[in-house]
Amino acid sequence: MPVERTLSIIKPDAVAKNVIGDIIRRFEENGLSVIATNMTHLSAVEAGRFYEVHAERPFYGDLCEFMSSGPVLAMVLEGKNAITLNRQLMGATNPQEAESGTIRADHADSIDANAVHGSDSAENAAIEIAFFFSGLDLHSH
Ligand code: IDP
Ligand code: MG
């Protein structure tokens, strides 16, 4: 399995619930390393740029408002099969459909306030990592 990098975001709902540590523990216990972090509070415009692929979806406005409602923790995760592994640890977008033991099953309240973001492909991981980080900020270990 290839070593990959992926972007994870702990969303405003999970930051507010004080479960940053629990989420990072799951990543580390499953073989992913945190190689960059950035706690930031996105503006609605910045959230809109990040989620531009969803601009035509009916929930886009609500999504941008939610993602700019409080601080988030953006991270780069590195490890074997990191993109798919992170998506597995996250669980389904709708927490009611998320497998038990996943981050969203345990910490998400609804399909919009769903605790975490994770890149869905290698191409999007590269774009999303570059949105938050420069190459100088990535520290493999
Ligand atoms: P993902 O986060 O599991 O990759 P996407 O389909 O890429 O899911 O959607 C991006 C984000 O948009 C979701 O995490 C969720 O916060 C929000 N979202 C997706 N579908 C809906 C919906 O039907 N209603 C409200 N919000 C949604
Ligand atoms: Mg997505």
Side-chain angles (χ1 to χ4, degrees), residues 8-20 23 38-44 47 50-51 62-74 104 107-117 132:
S8 167
I9 304 176
I10 301 182
K11 294 186 178 184
D13 58 322
V15 172
K17 283 183 181 171
N18 233 13
V19 293
I20 289 173
I23 291 171
N38 178 11
M39 187 169 231
T40 187
H41 190 148
L42 298 169
S43 68
F50 181 79
Y51 276 116
D62 289 343
L63 176 61
C64 297
E65 193 181 325
F66 168 66
M67 287 300 288
S68 58
S69 67
V72 298
L73 184 69
R104 282 168 165 168
H107 293 310
D109 293 326
S110 65
I111 194 168
D112 28 340
N114 63 0
V116 279
H117 167 84
F132 284 99

mmCIF file of all heavy atoms in Angstrom, residues 8-20 23 38-44 47 50-51 62-74 104 107-117 132:
data_model
loop_
_atom_site.group_PDB
_atom_site.id
_atom_site.type_symbol
_atom_site.label_atom_id
_atom_site.label_comp_id
_atom_site.label_asym_id
_atom_site.label_seq_id
_atom_site.Cartn_x
_atom_site.Cartn_y
_atom_site.Cartn_z
ATOM 1 N N SER A 8 -7.321 16.389 6.690
ATOM 2 C CA SER A 8 -8.398 16.201 7.659
ATOM 3 C C SER A 8 -8.745 17.564 8.242
ATOM 4 O O SER A 8 -7.854 18.377 8.487
ATOM 5 C CB SER A 8 -7.934 15.270 8.778
ATOM 6 O OG SER A 8 -8.849 15.302 9.873
ATOM 7 N N ILE A 9 -10.024 17.810 8.440
ATOM 8 C CA ILE A 9 -10.443 19.007 9.196
ATOM 9 C C ILE A 9 -11.357 18.550 10.330
ATOM 10 O O ILE A 9 -12.341 17.838 10.091
ATOM 11 C CB ILE A 9 -11.217 20.023 8.330
ATOM 12 C CG1 ILE A 9 -10.404 20.452 7.109
ATOM 13 C CG2 ILE A 9 -11.592 21.253 9.168
ATOM 14 C CD1 ILE A 9 -11.181 21.384 6.168
ATOM 15 N N ILE A 10 -11.020 18.954 11.552
ATOM 16 C CA ILE A 10 -11.966 18.815 12.659
ATOM 17 C C ILE A 10 -12.851 20.052 12.600
ATOM 18 O O ILE A 10 -12.376 21.189 12.702
ATOM 19 C CB ILE A 10 -11.238 18.663 14.004
ATOM 20 C CG1 ILE A 10 -10.311 17.418 13.953
ATOM 21 C CG2 ILE A 10 -12.256 18.534 15.142
ATOM 22 C CD1 ILE A 10 -9.563 17.137 15.242
ATOM 23 N N LYS A 11 -14.138 19.824 12.353
ATOM 24 C CA LYS A 11 -15.075 20.909 12.048
ATOM 25 C C LYS A 11 -15.486 21.648 13.338
ATOM 26 O O LYS A 11 -15.249 21.167 14.454
ATOM 27 C CB LYS A 11 -16.300 20.323 11.333
ATOM 28 C CG LYS A 11 -15.973 19.741 9.935
ATOM 29 C CD LYS A 11 -17.257 19.313 9.210
ATOM 30 C CE LYS A 11 -16.957 18.789 7.815
ATOM 31 N NZ LYS A 11 -18.211 18.453 7.069
ATOM 32 N N PRO A 12 -16.146 22.812 13.173
ATOM 33 C CA PRO A 12 -16.468 23.642 14.355
ATOM 34 C C PRO A 12 -17.265 22.913 15.437
ATOM 35 O O PRO A 12 -17.062 23.177 16.634
ATOM 36 C CB PRO A 12 -17.295 24.794 13.763
ATOM 37 C CG PRO A 12 -16.814 24.920 12.355
ATOM 38 C CD PRO A 12 -16.505 23.508 11.921
ATOM 39 N N ASP A 13 -18.156 21.997 15.061
ATOM 40 C CA ASP A 13 -18.961 21.297 16.077
ATOM 41 C C ASP A 13 -18.084 20.433 16.970
ATOM 42 O O ASP A 13 -18.229 20.420 18.198
ATOM 43 C CB ASP A 13 -20.076 20.470 15.425
ATOM 44 C CG ASP A 13 -19.571 19.439 14.425
ATOM 45 O OD1 ASP A 13 -18.605 19.739 13.692
ATOM 46 O OD2 ASP A 13 -20.139 18.334 14.363
ATOM 47 N N ALA A 14 -17.123 19.721 16.377
ATOM 48 C CA ALA A 14 -16.265 18.819 17.153
ATOM 49 C C ALA A 14 -15.236 19.606 17.960
ATOM 50 O O ALA A 14 -14.897 19.214 19.084
ATOM 51 C CB ALA A 14 -15.579 17.818 16.234
ATOM 52 N N VAL A 15 -14.748 20.727 17.423
ATOM 53 C CA VAL A 15 -13.857 21.588 18.220
ATOM 54 C C VAL A 15 -14.607 22.077 19.448
ATOM 55 O O VAL A 15 -14.094 22.011 20.578
ATOM 56 C CB VAL A 15 -13.336 22.772 17.371
ATOM 57 C CG1 VAL A 15 -12.584 23.770 18.250
ATOM 58 C CG2 VAL A 15 -12.425 22.274 16.238
ATOM 59 N N ALA A 16 -15.863 22.520 19.252
ATOM 60 C CA ALA A 16 -16.650 23.052 20.375
ATOM 61 C C ALA A 16 -16.945 21.978 21.425
ATOM 62 O O ALA A 16 -17.085 22.286 22.608
ATOM 63 C CB ALA A 16 -17.956 23.656 19.852
ATOM 64 N N LYS A 17 -17.026 20.724 20.986
ATOM 65 C CA LYS A 17 -17.293 19.626 21.934
ATOM 66 C C LYS A 17 -16.051 19.164 22.679
ATOM 67 O O LYS A 17 -16.127 18.233 23.483
ATOM 68 C CB LYS A 17 -17.848 18.414 21.180
ATOM 69 C CG LYS A 17 -19.285 18.523 20.782
ATOM 70 C CD LYS A 17 -19.693 17.223 20.105
ATOM 71 C CE LYS A 17 -21.127 17.276 19.649
ATOM 72 N NZ LYS A 17 -21.443 16.107 18.810
ATOM 73 N N ASN A 18 -14.901 19.742 22.336
ATOM 74 C CA ASN A 18 -13.654 19.398 23.034
ATOM 75 C C ASN A 18 -13.222 17.953 22.774
ATOM 76 O O ASN A 18 -12.750 17.268 23.678
ATOM 77 C CB ASN A 18 -13.826 19.612 24.542
ATOM 78 C CG ASN A 18 -12.739 20.490 25.120
ATOM 79 O OD1 ASN A 18 -11.998 21.129 24.384
ATOM 80 N ND2 ASN A 18 -12.625 20.506 26.431
ATOM 81 N N VAL A 19 -13.407 17.489 21.535
ATOM 82 C CA VAL A 19 -13.016 16.112 21.207
ATOM 83 C C VAL A 19 -11.865 16.055 20.200
ATOM 84 O O VAL A 19 -11.653 15.033 19.541
ATOM 85 C CB VAL A 19 -14.228 15.272 20.733
ATOM 86 C CG1 VAL A 19 -15.207 15.077 21.885
ATOM 87 C CG2 VAL A 19 -14.920 15.892 19.520
ATOM 88 N N ILE A 20 -11.088 17.141 20.113
ATOM 89 C CA ILE A 20 -9.917 17.141 19.233
ATOM 90 C C ILE A 20 -8.999 15.968 19.585
ATOM 91 O O ILE A 20 -8.550 15.220 18.710
ATOM 92 C CB ILE A 20 -9.143 18.475 19.350
ATOM 93 C CG1 ILE A 20 -9.936 19.623 18.706
ATOM 94 C CG2 ILE A 20 -7.762 18.364 18.712
ATOM 95 C CD1 ILE A 20 -9.298 20.996 18.929
ATOM 96 N N ILE A 23 -10.248 12.523 18.551
ATOM 97 C CA ILE A 23 -10.192 12.286 17.096
ATOM 98 C C ILE A 23 -8.747 12.011 16.663
ATOM 99 O O ILE A 23 -8.475 11.058 15.918
ATOM 100 C CB ILE A 23 -10.828 13.482 16.351
ATOM 101 C CG1 ILE A 23 -12.340 13.493 16.623
ATOM 102 C CG2 ILE A 23 -10.528 13.399 14.852
ATOM 103 C CD1 ILE A 23 -13.065 14.735 16.128
ATOM 104 N N ASN A 38 -3.051 23.256 11.660
ATOM 105 C CA ASN A 38 -3.358 24.685 11.563
ATOM 106 C C ASN A 38 -4.750 24.920 12.130
ATOM 107 O O ASN A 38 -5.739 24.526 11.528
ATOM 108 C CB ASN A 38 -3.301 25.138 10.098
ATOM 109 C CG ASN A 38 -3.654 26.606 9.916
ATOM 110 O OD1 ASN A 38 -3.751 27.353 10.887
ATOM 111 N ND2 ASN A 38 -3.856 27.010 8.668
ATOM 112 N N MET A 39 -4.803 25.515 13.314
ATOM 113 C CA MET A 39 -6.105 25.901 13.841
ATOM 114 C C MET A 39 -6.423 27.276 13.296
ATOM 115 O O MET A 39 -5.627 28.208 13.401
ATOM 116 C CB MET A 39 -6.113 25.922 15.361
ATOM 117 C CG MET A 39 -7.508 26.153 15.902
ATOM 118 S SD MET A 39 -7.568 25.850 17.672
ATOM 119 C CE MET A 39 -8.947 24.749 17.778
ATOM 120 N N THR A 40 -7.607 27.391 12.686
ATOM 121 C CA THR A 40 -7.958 28.647 12.031
ATOM 122 C C THR A 40 -9.462 28.838 12.093
ATOM 123 O O THR A 40 -10.196 27.890 12.383
ATOM 124 C CB THR A 40 -7.440 28.634 10.564
ATOM 125 O OG1 THR A 40 -7.648 29.911 9.981
ATOM 126 C CG2 THR A 40 -8.153 27.596 9.722
ATOM 127 N N HIS A 41 -9.888 30.066 11.875
ATOM 128 C CA HIS A 41 -11.323 30.352 11.819
ATOM 129 C C HIS A 41 -11.587 30.909 10.426
ATOM 130 O O HIS A 41 -11.232 32.050 10.125
ATOM 131 C CB HIS A 41 -11.699 31.353 12.918
ATOM 132 C CG HIS A 41 -13.174 31.533 13.086
ATOM 133 N ND1 HIS A 41 -13.762 31.816 14.295
ATOM 134 C CD2 HIS A 41 -14.184 31.453 12.183
ATOM 135 C CE1 HIS A 41 -15.084 31.907 14.130
ATOM 136 N NE2 HIS A 41 -15.356 31.700 12.852
ATOM 137 N N LEU A 42 -12.176 30.086 9.581
ATOM 138 C CA LEU A 42 -12.405 30.470 8.189
ATOM 139 C C LEU A 42 -13.482 31.548 8.107
ATOM 140 O O LEU A 42 -14.470 31.511 8.867
ATOM 141 C CB LEU A 42 -12.869 29.262 7.380
ATOM 142 C CG LEU A 42 -11.898 28.076 7.264
ATOM 143 C CD1 LEU A 42 -12.626 26.864 6.664
ATOM 144 C CD2 LEU A 42 -10.697 28.455 6.402
ATOM 145 N N SER A 43 -13.333 32.465 7.180
ATOM 146 C CA SER A 43 -14.451 33.344 6.831
ATOM 147 C C SER A 43 -15.410 32.548 5.939
ATOM 148 O O SER A 43 -15.045 31.496 5.401
ATOM 149 C CB SER A 43 -13.939 34.573 6.078
ATOM 150 O OG SER A 43 -13.455 34.179 4.796
ATOM 151 N N ALA A 44 -16.613 33.060 5.769
ATOM 152 C CA ALA A 44 -17.569 32.374 4.887
ATOM 153 C C ALA A 44 -17.028 32.310 3.456
ATOM 154 O O ALA A 44 -17.231 31.321 2.744
ATOM 155 C CB ALA A 44 -18.921 33.074 4.927
ATOM 156 N N ALA A 47 -14.435 29.510 3.374
ATOM 157 C CA ALA A 47 -15.118 28.214 3.397
ATOM 158 C C ALA A 47 -15.723 27.927 2.020
ATOM 159 O O ALA A 47 -15.690 26.798 1.531
ATOM 160 C CB ALA A 47 -16.196 28.211 4.479
ATOM 161 N N PHE A 50 -13.030 26.733 -0.279
ATOM 162 C CA PHE A 50 -12.623 25.359 0.024
ATOM 163 C C PHE A 50 -13.636 24.361 -0.537
ATOM 164 O O PHE A 50 -13.265 23.303 -1.065
ATOM 165 C CB PHE A 50 -12.480 25.164 1.541
ATOM 166 C CG PHE A 50 -12.043 23.775 1.895
ATOM 167 C CD1 PHE A 50 -10.711 23.405 1.767
ATOM 168 C CD2 PHE A 50 -12.961 22.826 2.324
ATOM 169 C CE1 PHE A 50 -10.292 22.118 2.052
ATOM 170 C CE2 PHE A 50 -12.559 21.538 2.620
ATOM 171 C CZ PHE A 50 -11.225 21.176 2.485
ATOM 172 N N TYR A 51 -14.927 24.671 -0.420
ATOM 173 C CA TYR A 51 -15.987 23.743 -0.832
ATOM 174 C C TYR A 51 -16.551 24.102 -2.210
ATOM 175 O O TYR A 51 -17.690 23.747 -2.512
ATOM 176 C CB TYR A 51 -17.104 23.730 0.211
ATOM 177 C CG TYR A 51 -16.845 22.806 1.385
ATOM 178 C CD1 TYR A 51 -16.697 23.290 2.668
ATOM 179 C CD2 TYR A 51 -16.765 21.415 1.206
ATOM 180 C CE1 TYR A 51 -16.470 22.433 3.748
ATOM 181 C CE2 TYR A 51 -16.546 20.554 2.278
ATOM 182 C CZ TYR A 51 -16.406 21.073 3.541
ATOM 183 O OH TYR A 51 -16.194 20.215 4.594
ATOM 184 N N ASP A 62 -25.547 26.798 3.568
ATOM 185 C CA ASP A 62 -25.534 26.341 4.962
ATOM 186 C C ASP A 62 -24.169 25.774 5.330
ATOM 187 O O ASP A 62 -23.680 25.974 6.445
ATOM 188 C CB ASP A 62 -26.602 25.248 5.178
ATOM 189 C CG ASP A 62 -28.013 25.809 5.142
ATOM 190 O OD1 ASP A 62 -28.162 27.038 5.275
ATOM 191 O OD2 ASP A 62 -28.954 25.014 4.982
ATOM 192 N N LEU A 63 -23.565 25.044 4.394
ATOM 193 C CA LEU A 63 -22.252 24.431 4.639
ATOM 194 C C LEU A 63 -21.196 25.514 4.893
ATOM 195 O O LEU A 63 -20.402 25.418 5.847
ATOM 196 C CB LEU A 63 -21.877 23.566 3.429
ATOM 197 C CG LEU A 63 -20.508 22.908 3.423
ATOM 198 C CD1 LEU A 63 -20.348 21.956 4.611
ATOM 199 C CD2 LEU A 63 -20.296 22.141 2.109
ATOM 200 N N CYS A 64 -21.204 26.567 4.066
ATOM 201 C CA CYS A 64 -20.222 27.653 4.236
ATOM 202 C C CYS A 64 -20.450 28.382 5.555
ATOM 203 O O CYS A 64 -19.494 28.745 6.252
ATOM 204 C CB CYS A 64 -20.308 28.630 3.067
ATOM 205 S SG CYS A 64 -19.879 27.863 1.503
ATOM 206 N N GLU A 65 -21.717 28.579 5.910
ATOM 207 C CA GLU A 65 -22.037 29.252 7.176
ATOM 208 C C GLU A 65 -21.558 28.407 8.363
ATOM 209 O O GLU A 65 -20.918 28.897 9.287
ATOM 210 C CB GLU A 65 -23.552 29.458 7.242
ATOM 211 C CG GLU A 65 -23.995 30.411 8.331
ATOM 212 C CD GLU A 65 -25.510 30.558 8.360
ATOM 213 O OE1 GLU A 65 -26.138 30.520 7.278
ATOM 214 O OE2 GLU A 65 -26.056 30.660 9.465
ATOM 215 N N PHE A 66 -21.836 27.110 8.285
ATOM 216 C CA PHE A 66 -21.422 26.218 9.377
ATOM 217 C C PHE A 66 -19.904 26.152 9.497
ATOM 218 O O PHE A 66 -19.349 26.248 10.609
ATOM 219 C CB PHE A 66 -21.999 24.816 9.151
ATOM 220 C CG PHE A 66 -21.401 23.789 10.059
ATOM 221 C CD1 PHE A 66 -21.609 23.849 11.429
ATOM 222 C CD2 PHE A 66 -20.595 22.778 9.553
ATOM 223 C CE1 PHE A 66 -21.025 22.922 12.284
ATOM 224 C CE2 PHE A 66 -20.008 21.857 10.392
ATOM 225 C CZ PHE A 66 -20.218 21.927 11.763
ATOM 226 N N MET A 67 -19.210 26.006 8.374
ATOM 227 C CA MET A 67 -17.754 25.844 8.429
ATOM 228 C C MET A 67 -17.034 27.112 8.885
ATOM 229 O O MET A 67 -15.865 27.061 9.279
ATOM 230 C CB MET A 67 -17.217 25.386 7.069
ATOM 231 C CG MET A 67 -17.545 23.949 6.749
ATOM 232 S SD MET A 67 -16.865 22.753 7.947
ATOM 233 C CE MET A 67 -15.105 22.823 7.548
ATOM 234 N N SER A 68 -17.751 28.254 8.839
ATOM 235 C CA SER A 68 -17.157 29.509 9.304
ATOM 236 C C SER A 68 -17.742 29.934 10.658
ATOM 237 O O SER A 68 -17.498 31.043 11.117
ATOM 238 C CB SER A 68 -17.376 30.608 8.259
ATOM 239 O OG SER A 68 -18.749 30.793 7.991
ATOM 240 N N SER A 69 -18.478 29.034 11.309
ATOM 241 C CA SER A 69 -19.163 29.391 12.563
ATOM 242 C C SER A 69 -18.247 29.331 13.787
ATOM 243 O O SER A 69 -18.635 29.772 14.871
ATOM 244 C CB SER A 69 -20.372 28.474 12.787
ATOM 245 O OG SER A 69 -19.946 27.137 13.022
ATOM 246 N N GLY A 70 -17.074 28.783 13.649
ATOM 247 C CA GLY A 70 -16.141 28.675 14.771
ATOM 248 C C GLY A 70 -14.817 28.141 14.273
ATOM 249 O O GLY A 70 -14.677 27.809 13.091
ATOM 250 N N PRO A 71 -13.838 28.031 15.174
ATOM 251 C CA PRO A 71 -12.533 27.547 14.738
ATOM 252 C C PRO A 71 -12.567 26.087 14.280
ATOM 253 O O PRO A 71 -13.396 25.297 14.742
ATOM 254 C CB PRO A 71 -11.646 27.713 15.970
ATOM 255 C CG PRO A 71 -12.566 27.904 17.119
ATOM 256 C CD PRO A 71 -13.853 28.431 16.589
ATOM 257 N N VAL A 72 -11.666 25.774 13.374
ATOM 258 C CA VAL A 72 -11.485 24.404 12.885
ATOM 259 C C VAL A 72 -10.019 24.032 13.060
ATOM 260 O O VAL A 72 -9.161 24.905 13.183
ATOM 261 C CB VAL A 72 -11.859 24.255 11.389
ATOM 262 C CG1 VAL A 72 -13.333 24.570 11.159
ATOM 263 C CG2 VAL A 72 -10.966 25.116 10.495
ATOM 264 N N LEU A 73 -9.738 22.736 13.078
ATOM 265 C CA LEU A 73 -8.347 22.285 13.089
ATOM 266 C C LEU A 73 -8.080 21.520 11.800
ATOM 267 O O LEU A 73 -8.592 20.410 11.612
ATOM 268 C CB LEU A 73 -8.066 21.389 14.294
ATOM 269 C CG LEU A 73 -6.586 20.980 14.396
ATOM 270 C CD1 LEU A 73 -5.704 22.184 14.748
ATOM 271 C CD2 LEU A 73 -6.382 19.877 15.429
ATOM 272 N N ALA A 74 -7.316 22.151 10.909
ATOM 273 C CA ALA A 74 -6.900 21.483 9.671
ATOM 274 C C ALA A 74 -5.604 20.740 9.948
ATOM 275 O O ALA A 74 -4.722 21.240 10.650
ATOM 276 C CB ALA A 74 -6.693 22.504 8.560
ATOM 277 N N ARG A 104 -17.794 9.842 13.065
ATOM 278 C CA ARG A 104 -19.095 10.497 12.882
ATOM 279 C C ARG A 104 -20.190 9.791 13.697
ATOM 280 O O ARG A 104 -21.080 10.457 14.236
ATOM 281 C CB ARG A 104 -19.438 10.575 11.394
ATOM 282 C CG ARG A 104 -18.658 11.719 10.705
ATOM 283 C CD ARG A 104 -18.752 11.653 9.214
ATOM 284 N NE ARG A 104 -18.326 12.905 8.568
ATOM 285 C CZ ARG A 104 -18.093 13.016 7.270
ATOM 286 N NH1 ARG A 104 -18.255 11.977 6.469
ATOM 287 N NH2 ARG A 104 -17.720 14.175 6.764
ATOM 288 N N HIS A 107 -19.439 11.211 17.246
ATOM 289 C CA HIS A 107 -19.356 12.646 17.566
ATOM 290 C C HIS A 107 -20.224 13.559 16.703
ATOM 291 O O HIS A 107 -20.339 14.749 17.023
ATOM 292 C CB HIS A 107 -17.904 13.121 17.450
ATOM 293 C CG HIS A 107 -17.001 12.531 18.489
ATOM 294 N ND1 HIS A 107 -17.302 12.538 19.832
ATOM 295 C CD2 HIS A 107 -15.795 11.899 18.376
ATOM 296 C CE1 HIS A 107 -16.311 11.948 20.506
ATOM 297 N NE2 HIS A 107 -15.403 11.547 19.648
ATOM 298 N N ALA A 108 -20.802 13.062 15.608
ATOM 299 C CA ALA A 108 -21.570 13.953 14.727
ATOM 300 C C ALA A 108 -23.032 13.976 15.133
ATOM 301 O O ALA A 108 -23.588 12.957 15.544
ATOM 302 C CB ALA A 108 -21.437 13.492 13.276
ATOM 303 N N ASP A 109 -23.660 15.146 15.018
ATOM 304 C CA ASP A 109 -25.069 15.294 15.395
ATOM 305 C C ASP A 109 -26.003 15.216 14.195
ATOM 306 O O ASP A 109 -27.169 14.897 14.344
ATOM 307 C CB ASP A 109 -25.284 16.650 16.086
ATOM 308 C CG ASP A 109 -24.574 16.709 17.426
ATOM 309 O OD1 ASP A 109 -24.501 15.668 18.102
ATOM 310 O OD2 ASP A 109 -24.078 17.795 17.777
ATOM 311 N N SER A 110 -25.513 15.584 13.021
ATOM 312 C CA SER A 110 -26.388 15.669 11.852
ATOM 313 C C SER A 110 -25.534 15.629 10.591
ATOM 314 O O SER A 110 -24.303 15.688 10.677
ATOM 315 C CB SER A 110 -27.170 16.981 11.887
ATOM 316 O OG SER A 110 -26.257 18.068 11.754
ATOM 317 N N ILE A 111 -26.197 15.570 9.431
ATOM 318 C CA ILE A 111 -25.436 15.500 8.174
ATOM 319 C C ILE A 111 -24.668 16.799 7.928
ATOM 320 O O ILE A 111 -23.632 16.780 7.269
ATOM 321 C CB ILE A 111 -26.353 15.143 6.980
ATOM 322 C CG1 ILE A 111 -25.524 14.733 5.769
ATOM 323 C CG2 ILE A 111 -27.319 16.270 6.657
ATOM 324 C CD1 ILE A 111 -26.318 14.088 4.655
ATOM 325 N N ASP A 112 -25.126 17.914 8.458
ATOM 326 C CA ASP A 112 -24.348 19.145 8.234
ATOM 327 C C ASP A 112 -23.297 19.367 9.329
ATOM 328 O O ASP A 112 -22.176 19.763 9.020
ATOM 329 C CB ASP A 112 -25.209 20.401 8.013
ATOM 330 C CG ASP A 112 -26.573 20.360 8.675
ATOM 331 O OD1 ASP A 112 -27.057 19.261 9.003
ATOM 332 O OD2 ASP A 112 -27.152 21.437 8.850
ATOM 333 N N ALA A 113 -23.635 19.081 10.584
ATOM 334 C CA ALA A 113 -22.638 19.204 11.660
ATOM 335 C C ALA A 113 -22.066 17.813 11.905
ATOM 336 O O ALA A 113 -22.480 17.106 12.823
ATOM 337 C CB ALA A 113 -23.279 19.773 12.919
ATOM 338 N N ASN A 114 -21.136 17.421 11.036
ATOM 339 C CA ASN A 114 -20.704 16.014 11.062
ATOM 340 C C ASN A 114 -19.230 15.813 11.414
ATOM 341 O O ASN A 114 -18.591 14.876 10.967
ATOM 342 C CB ASN A 114 -21.098 15.308 9.764
ATOM 343 C CG ASN A 114 -20.418 15.888 8.549
ATOM 344 O OD1 ASN A 114 -19.634 16.828 8.667
ATOM 345 N ND2 ASN A 114 -20.698 15.321 7.388
ATOM 346 N N ALA A 115 -18.710 16.698 12.228
ATOM 347 C CA ALA A 115 -17.463 16.514 12.999
ATOM 348 C C ALA A 115 -16.153 16.603 12.217
ATOM 349 O O ALA A 115 -15.186 17.185 12.713
ATOM 350 C CB ALA A 115 -17.498 15.198 13.795
ATOM 351 N N VAL A 116 -16.100 15.983 11.051
ATOM 352 C CA VAL A 116 -14.811 15.927 10.342
ATOM 353 C C VAL A 116 -14.989 16.020 8.823
ATOM 354 O O VAL A 116 -16.015 15.624 8.274
ATOM 355 C CB VAL A 116 -14.035 14.621 10.654
ATOM 356 C CG1 VAL A 116 -13.289 14.708 11.975
ATOM 357 C CG2 VAL A 116 -14.928 13.403 10.601
ATOM 358 N N HIS A 117 -13.933 16.528 8.184
ATOM 359 C CA HIS A 117 -13.788 16.479 6.730
ATOM 360 C C HIS A 117 -12.596 15.595 6.404
ATOM 361 O O HIS A 117 -11.614 15.586 7.155
ATOM 362 C CB HIS A 117 -13.522 17.886 6.160
ATOM 363 C CG HIS A 117 -13.069 17.851 4.725
ATOM 364 N ND1 HIS A 117 -13.954 17.786 3.687
ATOM 365 C CD2 HIS A 117 -11.822 17.786 4.189
ATOM 366 C CE1 HIS A 117 -13.263 17.705 2.544
ATOM 367 N NE2 HIS A 117 -11.968 17.711 2.823
ATOM 368 N N PHE A 132 -4.429 24.876 2.734
ATOM 369 C CA PHE A 132 -4.109 25.247 4.116
ATOM 370 C C PHE A 132 -2.611 25.333 4.412
ATOM 371 O O PHE A 132 -2.227 25.973 5.391
ATOM 372 C CB PHE A 132 -4.709 24.226 5.096
ATOM 373 C CG PHE A 132 -6.197 24.366 5.297
ATOM 374 C CD1 PHE A 132 -7.082 23.547 4.617
ATOM 375 C CD2 PHE A 132 -6.705 25.317 6.175
ATOM 376 C CE1 PHE A 132 -8.455 23.671 4.816
ATOM 377 C CE2 PHE A 132 -8.070 25.447 6.373
ATOM 378 C CZ PHE A 132 -8.946 24.622 5.689
#
